[in-house]
Amino acid sequence: VKDPRLVLYSEDMLSTLGFDPSFAQTEEFVRVLGGNDVIDDSAPWAMCYGGHQFGNWAGQLGDGRAIALAEVQTTTRGESDEVDDHNNHFELQLKGAGETPYSRRADGRAVLRSSIREFLCSEFMHAVGVPTTRALSLVETGDSVYRDMFYDGRIKAEKGAIVCRVAPSFIRFGSFQLPFSRGDVEGVRALADYCISHDFKGLIQPNDPNRYMGWMREVVKRTAELIAQWQSIGFVHGVMNTDNMSPLGLTIDYGPFGFLETLRPDYTPNLNDNSLRYAYGNQPFI
């Protein structure tokens, strides 16, 4: 990017990853999390998945503007449930760093206003005990990004930015749907085995012949508990498509989210949700 500049970083997340806070003041930190440098001996990737969007199968989707940098293994336990449950491994992912093979005619970039929202809300959700992806950093790129903020045809230049998101895994429900839609049963099984051994270690035994049923029960339980926590604080995700839901029971993909100010079951922050499918009152049923 043109001129990466660190705007925000989470000292708590940096510490959880095993880094000294002073690392955030280095040029290396800004260049890597601004997408200009690659971590030594790493191979960044974008994930391919499918999904149901507003109840309709959308086919192949994928990370259109998210690029994973690496997985970090930590040696100390943090305070969050996410850390303890997932054996201290974290995937670092840049949102807004540019095009991927799945960008689908988009530019792969993100604007500062939405990046600030994601950084602040994900860290807030963590602070109040709601399972969530985390935010490590927010870097302003120095590049202009052109967006139609209100979908009314008035496109304007905005400041570009990149958020480094952190989670044990960014696998989604749609990660399983895509190979299933192609008749690739072995692919579904292999992905499920990976997810069980990688993110449900200690809860599900990898060699248990009933592991898939046990895993599914755990996914259902975590998802139900997550939605209950959303409801309890008035959080409205806004786009509960299957490509935006995590089998780990984490809040993922902060897009058109919002919070209730008064009790309004029909409230949705998503301007495209004319049917109110993902309104506050419908979240438990979705």
Side-chain angles (χ1 to χ4, degrees), residues 210-267:
N210 297 315
R211 62 188 180 279
Y212 302 124
M213 186 58 70
W215 173 67
M216 180 59 70
R217 290 194 186 99
E218 183 65 22
V219 170
V220 170
K221 174 177 175 290
R222 291 186 184 201
T223 303
E225 290 175 347
L226 176 67
I227 306 306
Q229 288 178 280
W230 288 359
Q231 298 300 100
S232 72
I233 63 171
F235 174 76
V236 188
H237 186 278
V239 59
M240 293 171 64
N241 298 326
T242 56
D243 57 302
N244 302 123
M245 297 295 292
S246 166
L248 278 62
L250 304 176
T251 310
I252 190 172
D253 289 347
Y254 289 88
F257 68 86
F259 288 89
L260 295 183
E261 296 187 15
T262 59
L263 181 59
R264 284 182 52 196
D266 64 346
Y267 170 70

Side-chain angles (χ1 to χ4, degrees), residues 162-178:
I162 297 171
V163 173
C164 180
R165 308 194 293 188
V166 184
S169 172
F170 285 93
I171 287 177
R172 298 118 188 289
F173 290 174
S175 302
F176 299 89
Q177 288 182 289
L178 186 60

